[in-house]
C-alpha cells in the first residue's frame, strides 16, 4: 500500500473556536466537523483531501 502525498491535497482546518462561515483555512478554520466533512465532500474528485483538527472538544449533534 502506498501513502498518499499531501503536497497537492486540498486541506481544510477545524478548531473549536472557528466559525462555519470561515473558509476552513489554517488562519480561519471551521468550527464543526460537519462543516469540514461538507467541504471535503465538495472537493472530492480533485485529488487527495486532508482535514486537520486543532486540539479541543468537538461535539457531534448527530453521527458523521
Amino acid at each position: 500500500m502506498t501513502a498518499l502525498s499531501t503536497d497537492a491535497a486540498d486541506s481544510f482546518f477545524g478548531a473549536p473556536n472557528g466559525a462555519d462561515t470561515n473558509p476552513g483555512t489554517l488562519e480561519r478554520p471551521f468550527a464543526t466537523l460537519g462543516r469540514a466533512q461538507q467541504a471535503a465532500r465538495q472537493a472530492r474528485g480533485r485529488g487527495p483531501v486532508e482535514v486537520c483538527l486543532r486540539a479541543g472538544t468537538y461535539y457531534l449533534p448527530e453521527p458523521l
Side-chain angles (χ1 to χ4, degrees):
M1 184 157 64
T2 310
L4 290 175
S5 171
T6 58
D7 292 339
D10 278 330
S11 296
F12 300 102
F13 296 86
N17 64 344
D20 283 344
T21 55
N22 285 346
T25 62
L26 181 61
E27 297 80 17
R28 297 182 60 211
F30 297 131
T32 64
L33 299 179
R35 179 63 184 101
Q37 180 186 43
Q38 180 184 33
R41 286 182 173 168
Q42 289 173 345
R44 184 175 33 202
R46 294 192 311 230
V49 176
E50 174 182 58
V51 176
C52 303
L53 302 175
R54 293 187 185 161
T57 303
Y58 295 85
Y59 296 97
L60 299 176
E62 58 188 43
L64 288 176

